[in-house]
Amino acid sequence: MTSVYRTKDGGRIQRGKPLRFTFDGRALQGVEGDTLASALLANGIHLVGRSFKYHRPRGILSAGADEPNALVGVRRDAARYTPNLRATQVELYDGLEAESQNRWPSLALDTGALNGLISPFIPAGFYYKTFMWPRKAWDSLYEPFIRAAAGLGRAPTQADPDRYLNRYAHCDVLIAGAGPAGLSAALTAARSGARVILCDEQSEFGGSLLAETSATIEGLPAQVWLQEAIAELAGNPRVVLLPRTTAFGYFAHNLIGLNQRVTDHLAVPSAEQPRERLWQVRAKEVILCAGALERPLVFPGNDRPGILLADSARTYLNRYGVRPGKRVVIITAHDGAYRAALDLHAAGVEIAAIADVRATADGPAPQAARQAGLPIRLRTTITGTRGGLRVEGVSLAAMDGGPSQSVACDAVLMSGGFTPSVHLFSQSRGKLDWDPAAQSFVPGRSAERERSAGASRGLFGLAEVLADGAAAGADAVAAAGLTPPAPRRLEASGIDLGTDGFLGALPGAGAPGAKAFVDWQNDVTAKDLLLATREGFRSIEHIKRYTTTGMATDQGKTSNMNALGVVSEALGTPIPAVGLTTFRMPYTPVTFGSLAATSRGVLFDPVRTTPIHDWAAAQGAVFEDVGLWKRARYFPRGGEDMDAAVARECLAVRSGVGVFDATTLGKIEVVGPDAAKFMNRLYVNAWTKLAPGRSRYGVLLRDDGFIFDDGVVGRVAEDRFHVTTTTGGAPRVLAMMEDYLQTEWPDLNVWLTSTTEQWAVIAVQGPQARQVLEGLVEGIDLSAEALPHMSLTEGKICGVPTRLFRMSFTGELGFEVNVPTSHGRAVWEAIWAAGQPHGMVAYGTETMHVLRAEKGYIIVGQETDGTVTPDDAGLSWAIGRTKADYVGKRSLAREAMNAPDRKQLVGLYTQNPSVVIEEGSQVVADARQQIPMRPIGHVSSSYMSATLGRSIALALVSGGRARMGQTLFVPTADGEVAVTVTSPVFYDQEGVRVNA
Amino acid sequence: MLLITCPYCGPRPELEFAYGGQAHIARPQQPADLNDDAWAEHLYMRDNAKGAHAERWRHTHGCARFFNAVRDTGSDRILATYETGTPRPAAGDLVGGAA
Ligand SMILES: [Zn+2]
């Protein structure tokens, strides 16, 4: 490696394994163990993106999940392009292609930076204030502008070719985060015999230990101890170790969502492996060891490339062997930056100045820095920075003002202290407490079975963190009902960095012309927040939405606490009183691929098909979705469109015979000594006197009196009913039956069985239906005397047992042949063959709809909408008047249910017979009235009837039955359509044909 | 996703269950004896408790049986599950000892 920024030795990279990659087409080299960010820094590249609103040049700020700037797109091929990845979390592989986002035409020259010049005119709430009027400018002007200006990545246009899997798991203890606290907890839990899952978002376990060069644990260098700890856990068969796995969501009752990235780090992913795996882990106990996030400092010009977090710089140096620059200035409110300064100093980086905003800095790290001769200035801040695409220098000045001094540098490291990562705890609905000493929110009362350990609850000393992890492990094990091992304190040496920090904006952030960023990703400055408070905003939730601070994809990991600090100071309200915005899942973005897993394409939703489906498909049927079912809608012949096919099918049924697949109808077998009593209590009809072998059109209400479902019910035997339901209604009808049977009438001796999939149902309808079936049945008399309309019989057809109903949903002589599903296709084909001499047609749901509408038969869900009573639908005749009670009866007695102006089912004839009204149209009495017109009803069904040679419509119209012969109007976009109110039964009103 | 203990099958994930509304609301034996207000009260009026709430669940994709649960609507913790037709457990018998 020739880069001046790469150190000669140290770190967890393998200098002997170079990896080629490109960034915006430029060929570069990194090494095994690099992230994209560390490889870019090793090449001296800080500039990686343009900011969202002002298109300001931006550099790498952090080394982890909190990165707000370095969002890149990574491409494998045309279909495999992932936008918005944090370069700090992208593992380098040979051949990786990455590109920057949100810049045009190039990263170095971005015309959008013009936004920066007009930035005084883009204050907080700019969009709310500017893009308001006129309304029509939204489509032509504002929205295109906002969409063009809004950056971030673009999605690939091709379908995702990769495989994603979903996995469920259970464990005694789930530990999120494998830093020192998580490892210590895992060791304790595993030694107790607990089933443990330990996950960490990084490629390697260890957390902060991965950048540790001097600390020791149990007398061993920290990284050696780390290796041994991982080896012990890996050797335990009850422990599952999941690196590259983010605990992104904490759901109710200890269900944790884990997103495991399986192959994204590989140069050549194996076809055997999924790209990502979504784990849904139900854990008895959870330990949150999510660590802490370093805070930036808010000073003017704090967003130039080359300015990064101090502890991240230390990570780049110690873990990746990369120097962030040659000459750096450090600004800090926390001792950690001194530790970073010492490590960088030892690695040959010139420390130009350490500006400490505090009045004193006497901890061990500052003392060591002093002894090393590093230039420390207390009570000092940065009042401005210089540089275009990279920081070139800073202005230092005393915290209380006075002259500033310019210091040249090529990098600035900052530390405002550490914020415990309480995201998962907060997602679990635990209550956060404000720790005034540490100036941070820490986990308080738990809502779930979890506990936090280590830095995520504000503990930072290495020995303290290890002990806390072990204690949490023991606590979790005991809570899971196992016996924890005796507590053992791990000896550890680490430098004490204290818990100092700074919240809010440093002096000068509000000065004219200053741009001191609080939220890097959404380009929110301290001044934007101050403006919001001046404009009267008080609640942090409102300020967040008005300024968009903390609302970017990083969810304010680096910005939330500083935003609170700024608002708290401006309002003179203490931070806990200002409050904290809600943390929401996911912790870091999760791909749709991972969440969808295998639920794509044909597996997206189950598909239900009948045994006749393949026959229909071979005949060229056009299908429609009804619930999950595929139903044949019509059977076009010789280039027919739907209207032509439906007209032909309708005429054939009326004049000859048609066959229809009714298998999808819901079917429930109601059996038992109390079956009739049960049906009597449930349906409006009277069942006790219905003789075996007869059937009835059943109407089922909810107890509020409105129609819930309908269907023909046959009494097979004294104790056995064959109940049919609508295609979509079967599950809810069975659920309602079970509800009443189990919870209201447990005294009834009745069994309910769904038989929808046990019977194939073949409807044979038309004047010649009897002739078709006659030759196929055995032991069944099909004559009108033996098998009148609304009756049923059992016997054989084509050698197969059948339950044969005489019934009709067409108004013609009709039969519905129920046979076991496995015989459905064979019986269908036999009927089809027997029907050919009679000119039999196969017809679909569309023809079925027209035929039943000609007869005024309702379809639940089309003529009804949950507010229609039996009387509204013209079904009063079905009600068993003498029954003392049935579900819905009491509600039907209410006065409003019998008001004369209720909407009632009627027929409508358009005065121009060729006009077919649109279903759903409103009906008005007077078309000349002012808009908005007062509707008095609506059209529920509307078709062209080939049988009648004109259009017909069903409608629900206020007081409709008293309006026979009246002219009403249906307003349409092309003017009103005059209609005449008529009976809903358009064809064979005397019902002669059905009784043939 | 809640973890619900079916009294007949044991703990199962929420997606196996269907919610059934407030528990212990018996359908009147003689609805005709109720005036409109009393009937509307029975049909429509339900508690909106913050805290312990007795409610019906059905293990639809399991044993298919209805049962009752006491759930803390604030925390979503299930404090007890019990068979339909048995009385609501006393506060002292709930998980955590109190509602
Ligand atoms: Zn069950």
Side-chain angles (χ1 to χ4, degrees):
Chain A
M1 298 304 301
T2 52
S3 167
V4 295
Y5 297 104
R6 184 77 79 178
T7 59
K8 275 205 237 349
D9 46 36
R12 302 181 68 87
I13 51 164
Q14 300 184 48
R15 291 176 178 72
K17 291 190 181 170
L19 302 175
R20 293 160 301 142
F21 72 102
T22 64
F23 182 64
D24 284 344
R26 184 177 159 198
L28 297 164
Q29 208 174 78
V31 297
E32 182 91 33
D34 262 329
T35 62
L36 176 59
S38 71
L40 287 167
L41 291 176
N43 285 279
I45 296 171
H46 278 255
L47 172 66
V48 288
R50 289 274 173 172
S51 73
F52 182 63
K53 194 158 116 185
Y54 304 127
H55 288 239
R56 285 167 71 97
R58 287 283 166 79
I60 295 161
L61 183 76
S62 77
D66 47 346
E67 178 59 37
N69 287 340
L71 300 183
V72 297
V74 173
R75 166 195 301 276
R76 278 190 198 271
D77 54 46
R80 292 181 174 87
Y81 176 87
T82 313
N84 302 333
L85 291 174
R86 290 157 302 284
T88 51
Q89 292 189 298
V90 173
E91 290 177 60
L92 202 65
Y93 56 79
D94 198 49
L96 182 142
E97 290 177 41
E99 59 184 46
S100 59
Q101 302 180 161
N102 200 28
R103 44 52 176 173
W104 189 88
S106 78
L107 192 52
L109 175 70
D110 182 335
T111 53
L114 202 61
N115 277 2
L117 300 178
I118 60 162
S119 64
F121 309 106
I122 320 180
F126 170 70
Y127 293 117
Y128 297 120
K129 290 166 181 163
T130 309
F131 299 127
M132 291 178 70
W133 306 102
R135 171 65 187 83
K136 63 183 170 194
W138 264 105
D139 300 331
S140 58
L141 205 59
Y142 301 155
E143 198 179 316
F145 175 85
I146 293 171
R147 288 200 184 281
L152 299 190
R154 54 193 169 74
T157 51
Q158 295 187 22
D160 189 336
D162 287 315
R163 213 158 53 90
Y164 300 81
L165 293 181
N166 202 329
R167 180 164 174 177
Y168 296 86
H170 296 260
C171 64
D172 294 313
V173 183
L174 171 78
I175 301 162
L183 286 166
S184 175
L187 288 168
T188 304
R191 286 169 188 162
S192 318
R195 290 175 305 153
V196 174
I197 294 177
L198 174 63
C199 69
D200 194 284
E201 63 183 358
Q202 298 207 42
S203 59
E204 289 189 272
F205 283 180
S208 62
L209 298 180
L210 295 170
E212 199 50 75
T213 50
S214 58
T216 62
I217 303 173
E218 297 281 79
L220 299 171
Q223 298 210 11
V224 175
W225 179 87
L226 169 63
Q227 213 170 337
E228 292 186 359
I230 294 170
E232 178 183 334
L233 293 168
N236 186 326
R238 296 173 75 78
V239 175
V240 176
L241 300 180
L242 296 174
R244 301 188 176 92
T245 303
T246 305
F248 67 85
Y250 202 129
F251 303 84
H253 295 187
N254 269 14
L255 185 78
I256 317 295
L258 309 180
N259 175 231
Q260 181 185 16
R261 295 166 296 280
V262 183
T263 63
D264 270 357
H265 63 291
L266 301 173
V268 184
S270 154
E272 302 298 307
Q273 286 183 299
R275 182 170 178 183
E276 295 181 30
R277 189 179 282 123
L278 180 77
W279 291 68
Q280 296 182 58
V281 180
R282 186 76 72 170
K284 277 190 189 162
E285 300 292 329
V286 171
I287 308 176
L288 300 174
C289 304
L293 299 167
E294 194 169 19
R295 281 194 302 278
L297 286 165
V298 180
F299 55 86
N302 62 348
D303 68 326
R304 291 189 202 286
I307 302 179
L308 68 164
L309 293 165
D311 206 53
S312 296
R314 180 169 166 270
T315 294
Y316 284 119
L317 178 71
N318 292 346
R319 181 171 169 187
Y320 301 103
V322 177
R323 302 181 189 93
K326 295 171 191 162
R327 178 182 158 89
V328 306
V329 167
I330 291 170
I331 176 165
T332 187
H334 183 266
D335 284 2
Y338 290 88
R339 184 175 63 169
L342 286 161
D343 288 354
L344 288 163
H345 176 64
V349 177
E350 184 186 348
I351 309 298
I354 300 178
D356 195 322
V357 304
R358 298 171 295 179
T360 57
D362 298 321
Q367 296 287 11
R370 253 176 222 114
Q371 276 164 24
L374 303 186
I376 300 169
R377 306 185 195 197
L378 295 175
R379 238 195 273 266
T380 301
T381 187
I382 294 176
T383 53
T385 64
R386 299 192 308 278
L389 301 178
R390 175 79 181 261
V391 66
E392 290 165 7
V394 302
S395 302
L396 297 180
M399 282 289 278
D400 45 13
S404 66
Q405 187 200 341
S406 181
V407 178
C409 63
D410 62 356
V412 176
L413 314 187
M414 57 184 166
S415 177
F418 288 83
T419 302
S421 178
V422 294
H423 298 70
L424 286 170
F425 172 79
S426 185
Q427 284 181 21
S428 80
R429 305 206 283 188
K431 194 180 166 304
L432 291 168
D433 287 342
W434 174 248
D435 179 347
Q439 291 283 294
S440 47
F441 286 103
V442 292
R445 188 164 46 77
S446 289
E448 294 280 357
R449 298 175 70 97
E450 55 72 40
R451 70 281 301 138
S452 297
S456 67
R457 72 183 193 101
L459 303 177
F460 293 99
L462 183 56
E464 201 180 3
V465 164
L466 289 165
D468 197 46
D475 181 56
V477 162
L482 300 162
T483 310
R488 194 168 63 90
R489 191 175 166 80
L490 291 171
E491 292 303 322
S493 78
I495 193 163
D496 178 10
L497 301 170
T499 57
D500 278 356
F502 188 89
L503 292 175
L506 288 164
K515 271 204 183 308
F517 285 87
V518 173
D519 182 332
W520 272 247
Q521 205 179 44
N522 264 355
D523 263 359
V524 181
T525 65
K527 278 200 276 196
D528 291 328
L529 294 166
L530 295 171
L531 177 65
T533 61
R534 280 203 306 278
E535 291 186 356
F537 288 91
R538 291 295 176 267
S539 157
I540 192 67
E541 293 284 1
H542 293 156
I543 291 170
K544 167 181 162 177
R545 282 159 183 79
Y546 189 58
T547 63
T548 73
T549 191
M551 288 178 68
T553 61
D554 67 349
Q555 290 201 43
K557 289 186 178 66
T558 50
S559 62
N560 278 345
M561 289 309 294
N562 280 332
L564 264 185
V566 171
V567 171
S568 161
E569 190 183 339
L571 298 178
T573 309
I575 281 177
V578 176
L580 191 60
T581 55
T582 315
F583 291 99
R584 301 190 194 280
M585 61 198 78
Y587 178 69
T588 47
V590 177
T591 63
F592 285 121
S594 176
L595 296 173
T598 53
S599 301
R600 342 168 23 181
V602 293
L603 296 180
F604 177 69
D605 224 4
V607 173
R608 301 176 82 182
T609 56
T610 75
I612 292 115
H613 180 89
D614 291 347
W615 184 93
Q619 295 283 319
V622 175
F623 291 91
E624 67 170 338
D625 291 337
V626 181
L628 298 174
W629 289 102
K630 296 281 177 201
R631 299 198 73 179
R633 193 174 185 195
Y634 57 99
F635 291 80
R637 285 184 189 167
E640 282 177 331
D641 63 7
M642 185 173 86
D643 289 346
V646 169
R648 175 181 50 75
E649 291 171 14
C650 284
L651 292 172
V653 173
R654 292 266 181 250
S655 63
V657 63
V659 61
F660 173 71
D661 180 5
T663 302
T664 64
L665 279 185
K667 295 170 279 293
I668 300 166
E669 194 91 339
V670 177
V671 185
D674 295 322
K677 199 184 273 183
F678 175 73
M679 290 298 293
N680 238 21
R681 291 187 189 180
L682 208 58
Y683 279 74
V684 304
N685 317 70
W687 301 100
T688 36
K689 286 184 190 147
L690 182 70
R694 299 308 304 257
S695 65
R696 224 163 236 172
Y697 169 70
V699 178
L700 181 63
L701 311 182
R702 301 182 308 220
D703 229 347
D704 62 9
F706 299 118
I707 294 173
F708 183 67
D709 203 84
D710 68 351
V712 169
V713 177
R715 190 163 195 176
V716 180
E718 278 294 329
D719 63 349
R720 183 176 294 263
F721 288 82
H722 178 118
V723 176
T724 68
T725 74
T726 56
T727 293
R732 60 174 178 264
V733 171
L734 182 61
M736 178 174 170
M737 286 182 169
E738 286 284 357
D739 192 347
Y740 278 94
L741 184 60
Q742 291 184 35
T743 71
E744 296 290 353
W745 309 319
D747 53 305
L748 296 185
N749 196 351
V750 174
W751 286 268
L752 305 170
T753 309
S754 167
T755 53
T756 301
E757 302 205 332
Q758 272 57 53
W759 295 110
V761 185
I762 303 162
V764 183
Q765 302 276 314
Q768 296 180 49
R770 188 178 284 121
Q771 283 111 291
V772 172
L773 293 177
E774 254 165 3
L776 302 175
V777 295
E778 301 163 40
I780 295 176
D781 183 351
L782 294 175
S783 70
E785 299 71 37
L787 196 64
H789 182 48
M790 298 309 275
S791 61
L792 70 144
T793 184
E794 290 181 295
K796 283 194 165 179
I797 184 166
C798 308
V800 173
T802 180
R803 227 175 237 182
L804 200 152
F805 284 71
R806 167 93 192 263
M807 58 185 277
S808 173
F809 199 42
T810 59
E812 300 298 330
L813 164 67
F815 301 90
E816 290 199 358
V817 179
N818 288 250
V819 292
T821 301
S822 54
H823 297 290
R825 172 81 183 260
V827 174
W828 173 279
E829 291 196 40
I831 291 173
W832 178 248
Q836 290 317 297
H838 302 277
M840 173 181 263
V841 299
Y843 66 94
T845 51
E846 197 64 27
T847 291
M848 177 268 282
H849 281 158
V850 177
L851 294 172
R852 64 90 205 174
E854 287 169 354
K855 287 292 296 175
Y857 297 150
I858 67 160
I859 287 182
V860 168
Q862 188 156 342
E863 271 64 46
T864 72
D865 59 4
T867 67
V868 175
T869 67
D871 186 60
D872 297 342
L875 299 175
S876 288
W877 56 268
I879 294 174
R881 293 283 160 202
T882 57
K883 294 206 296 180
D885 191 25
Y886 54 82
V887 172
K889 180 177 169 75
R890 175 63 188 84
S891 290
L892 293 181
R894 288 172 52 224
E895 194 183 334
M897 300 295 243
N898 297 286
D901 62 347
R902 287 190 65 82
K903 283 189 184 179
Q904 296 165 338
L905 184 74
V906 295
L908 298 180
Y909 276 135
T910 51
Q911 291 181 355
N912 176 348
S914 64
V915 171
V916 181
I917 319 165
E918 215 171 313
E919 287 176 358
S921 298
Q922 298 296 307
V923 178
V924 300
D926 170 15
R928 300 270 165 259
Q929 64 185 300
Q930 270 196 325
I931 293 172
M933 298 188 190
R934 195 180 80 83
I936 58 168
H938 67 275
V939 176
S940 56
S941 294
S942 178
Y943 308 98
M944 177 54 72
S945 163
T947 307
L948 301 168
R950 60 153 303 134
S951 70
I952 56 169
L954 294 172
L956 285 131
V957 174
S958 175
R961 285 198 288 271
R963 293 180 187 269
M964 291 298 148
Q966 275 187 21
T967 297
L968 300 175
F969 300 91
V970 174
T972 76
D974 305 321
E976 76 265 13
V977 175
V979 295
T980 306
V981 181
T982 182
S983 158
V985 184
F986 298 96
Y987 183 68
D988 185 25
Q989 296 200 346
E990 303 74 27
V992 176
R993 304 178 68 88
V994 78
N995 288 309
Chain B
M1 182 167 49
L2 305 183
L3 187 66
I4 300 170
T5 302
C6 169
Y8 308 100
C9 306
R12 296 289 188 277
E14 183 182 346
L15 51 79
E16 293 186 11
F17 297 85
Y19 185 67
Q22 188 176 340
H24 304 297
I25 295 174
R27 189 170 185 272
Q29 290 292 322
Q30 305 290 343
D33 294 349
L34 274 60
N35 64 28
D36 280 356
D37 287 347
W39 180 245
E41 181 81 18
H42 161 72
L43 268 190
Y44 298 117
M45 300 310 283
R46 296 292 180 270
D47 294 340
N48 186 18
K50 180 171 185 184
H53 181 247
E55 57 199 26
R56 303 170 347 128
W57 287 84
R58 183 177 177 219
H59 194 190
T60 313
H61 302 292
C63 63
R65 296 182 75 167
F66 281 86
F67 61 90
N68 294 332
V70 178
R71 180 176 58 98
D72 184 327
T73 58
S75 68
D76 260 351
R77 288 186 71 188
I78 305 235
L79 308 175
T81 55
Y82 53 103
E83 294 181 16
T84 296
T86 58
R88 174 176 173 155
D93 294 334
L94 299 173
V95 174

